[in-house]
Amino acid sequence: MATLLYRLGRFAFRRRHFTVLFWVALLALAGVGAAGAPVAGNSSFSIPGTEAQKAFDVLEERFPGASADGATARVVFKAPAGEKMTDAGNKAIVQDTVGELSDGSEVARVTDPYQGGGVSEDGTVAYASVSYRVSGMELEESSRDSLEDAAEGARDAGLTVEIGGDALQTVPETGATEVIGIGVAAVVLVITFGSLVAAGLPLLTALIGVGIGVASITALASTLELGSTTSILATMIGLAVGIDYALFIVSRYRAELAEGREHEDAAGRAVGTAGSAVVFAGLTVVIALVGLSVVNIPMLTKMGIAAAGTVAIAVLIALTMVPALLGYAGRRVRAAGEKGKRRGRGDEEKENGSARGKAQEKAQRPNMGTRWARFVVRRPVAVLLLGVVGLGAAAIPASSLELGLPDDGSQPTSTTQRRAYDLLSEGFGPGSNGPLVVVVDARNSDDPDAVFRQTGDDIKALDDVVAVSPAVPNKTGDTATITVVPDSKPSSVATEDLVHDIRDAGAGIKTDTGADVLVTGATAMNIDVSQKLNDALVPYLTLVVGLAFLLLIVVFRSILVPLKAALGFLLSVMAALGAVVAVFQWGWLSGLMGVEETGPVMSMMPIFMVGVVFGLAMDYEVFLVTRMREAYVHGEEPGEAVVTGFRHGARVVSAAAVIMMAVFAGFIGSSESMVKMIGFGLAIAVFFDAFVVRMAIVPAVLALLGKKAWWLPKWLDRALPNVDVEGEGLRTDADAGAGGKGGGPDDRDLARV
């Protein structure tokens, strides 16, 4: 592989006009497609095979025209102090508003609060329910405007009016912190390279890659029903890995220049060595993201595949566009350790010799990575214990993890959705924000009406039930719906228990009468989603870690190194989950993070964090440990190989981790609670994995294992393909054939790949 990538890097360097034109043209094509595409909507949390989805399908079949999947809105009214909503004047205002709401072309029905039990017992709060014929993704902007205009008219008349439901859901905003994250990345790159040109290359290529990926997602959003958060998460991951992959190749290019190589040969060797690590690191990320499809949640599958596509683009751009831009940069990207100075055009050979001498002189001075590695090698047990205990302590809050899905109660208090949620809780109790819909399918029953009454009575006898509406049968009388209002808020454990209690009672009714009793609604659907995710976590973890473990065996030709990498990942992801629980569930530092409402952790968080963090953790493992193995196979002792790996890789890996943290942390400013939580979780996970696991635990374990770390059974060694991530083939060919500067494989080397 190193030989093939070496040739690809040299080709991109020589044919830089063609290479850059290709990527720019692809960006323009994707941009044109995105410009003419509709704005992405919001993804559905429906899951095939769950009871909530089965009940939803029954509603679609037995209640035609009911628009069971349509958008909904609740317009909540509150009377001025000292007045009631039943006062004649206030009642007239509400009824006028209901009339305005009914005029919309996409409105299916509007429930009058005075006829549908929508007035609180104390008379201070009332609400009207609006159902639409189309889903929230398909709702026209004019319908949203009409909804807000009707509410504004009631406000002008003296009432407090807020709107809840999914009809007003919009594409989440990320805010200025995303730009700040990119700015931090730029500063880190300048410090790392000491050059604006060298620092600008990773940023430019990452932005182009993300632009192509996100534009493609936007262009296909309507066709593939991609949610609005899909492009945000693709941006988050694509930016991070795109900058990092380009960073590693540019860094290796500067190191090759420092050894006195010609620019074209240095570009080829950078792609052949660091590029090999980029390919395998990218593969681990893609495996982790595509593996999300095993959960069988359409939204999560689409998010994973879209993000994986963006990562694949980042890998291809790093392998081709980065060397092409290095060709344009020429001597403006200097050798590692070389300070800027004025040069004449005829000083090329002198410059190369000087660079080699400076590199050798600098290699004799231990940098911070070298000093740290030597410290760890001398005291591996203490460092290992400190790292494991520290991560274990950070993981303690994860034992209190509660999972759920966000609702209007998790919105900022500045939004009308959150204020409507609070008004409904004030007037009708917290459970009114998440009523359960019980579907009774009595086709196989001899007396459907009796079944409907029995179901309602059995539900009333359960704990945590505030109200049970009379059964509403369909036209044929064989199916009915019953609305149940819990006493607890939708995201509470008590409401989840109530859903299970109703289903248990329904199992008894089915045994007695043959009727199916199914629970659905947004709250029940969220509970089923959370359960589905919990059940899929272990199989998903097994699949992803297993595949990546096999991949790393091929890369490192070792059993213990991949095993250590996987165990270290588990430590970092558990510590990160503990931090998420502490902030978003317990409320620690919630004000600093902009978390206005604590509650259950988003149910997708653990499995999504496992997928993304595992891929990113393997990035650092591949980049750092590949340098160690390269030194080991070239004859160094295991302990010294660890030091050599840190001397060449610690600074770059640290810069890459800081960049990733900055990019992920930039999404903490999002208005979408899911994006905010994922941004924080990934940022803290990168910190734990890069600076505790990879920088401390990994060298400590390798120092303790010694030569055993690189042990591989002989039969397995013969069976595995030799991918040559270390670039040994390049070194051998150069020594045997070229014998000097610029030496490398020729066309015949392809026969050995």
Side-chain angles (χ1 to χ4, degrees), residues 19-30:
T19 303
V20 171
L21 181 62
F22 170 81
W23 286 112
V24 172
L26 195 59
L27 176 62
L29 183 63

Side-chain angles (χ1 to χ4, degrees), residues 723-745:
V723 295
D724 189 21
V725 176
E726 302 86 9
E728 181 64 21
L730 299 180
R731 180 186 294 262
T732 301
D733 289 336
D735 293 342
K741 298 177 184 178

